Amino acid sequence: MSNFAIPLHVSERVAQLGQRIRVARIRRGWSVVDLASKAGINRNTLTALELGKPGTAIGVCFTVLWALDLEKSLDAVADPDTDVHGKALEASRRPTRVGKSRKSGNEYDF
């Protein structure tokens, strides 16, 4: 059995995402059953997602966002072009100077 515990900040973000999905559903005037049907999932699974249960599969989350026509909002998630820290680490590992090719002193030396 795993001793994995979700960090508090992550748990809060998962709950926040669930609330946002709930608000989007309500704004569309859809019931839990309506959205669950559109996403092809069980209503209990959708309820778990809206409540921020961390065990809800990420595929379910993406599918629900798709059903709400919000999947484009995922385009910036973990985008390598916006990863300032990762880019800085990568740049720090690059060579600072490119060395010249070394030729022997005698051009005719075989």
Side-chain angles (χ1 to χ4, degrees):
M1 179 158 299
S2 174
N3 291 331
F4 177 73
I6 295 177
L8 179 60
H9 180 72
V10 173
S11 180
E12 289 170 350
R13 296 300 300 249
V14 171
Q16 185 181 52
L17 177 60
Q19 282 290 5
R20 290 176 178 180
I21 289 171
R22 182 175 185 275
V23 167
R25 174 182 60 78
I26 291 169
R27 285 182 176 168
R28 285 162 177 72
W30 296 348
S31 69
V32 170
V33 174
D34 293 336
L35 180 54
S37 176
K38 289 178 191 302
I41 61 174
N42 184 296
R43 64 183 177 83
N44 293 333
T45 303
L46 178 59
T47 300
L49 178 64
E50 288 186 355
L51 290 173
K53 303 277 180 154
T56 308
I58 193 165
V60 168
C61 182
F62 278 56
T63 302
V64 169
L65 290 171
W66 168 81
L68 290 166
D69 198 27
L70 294 174
E71 78 277 4
K72 293 283 187 199
S73 63
L74 295 169
D75 289 346
V77 174
D79 183 357
D81 291 334
T82 62
D83 182 10
V84 177
H85 182 69
K87 288 165 103 175
L89 289 171
E90 180 182 49
S92 72
R93 290 190 299 266
R94 285 189 202 127
T96 56
R97 179 177 161 196
V98 178
K100 294 182 182 178
S101 63
R102 296 182 181 163
K103 293 184 179 178
S104 68
N106 187 347
E107 294 178 28
Y108 302 105
D109 189 18
F110 293 101

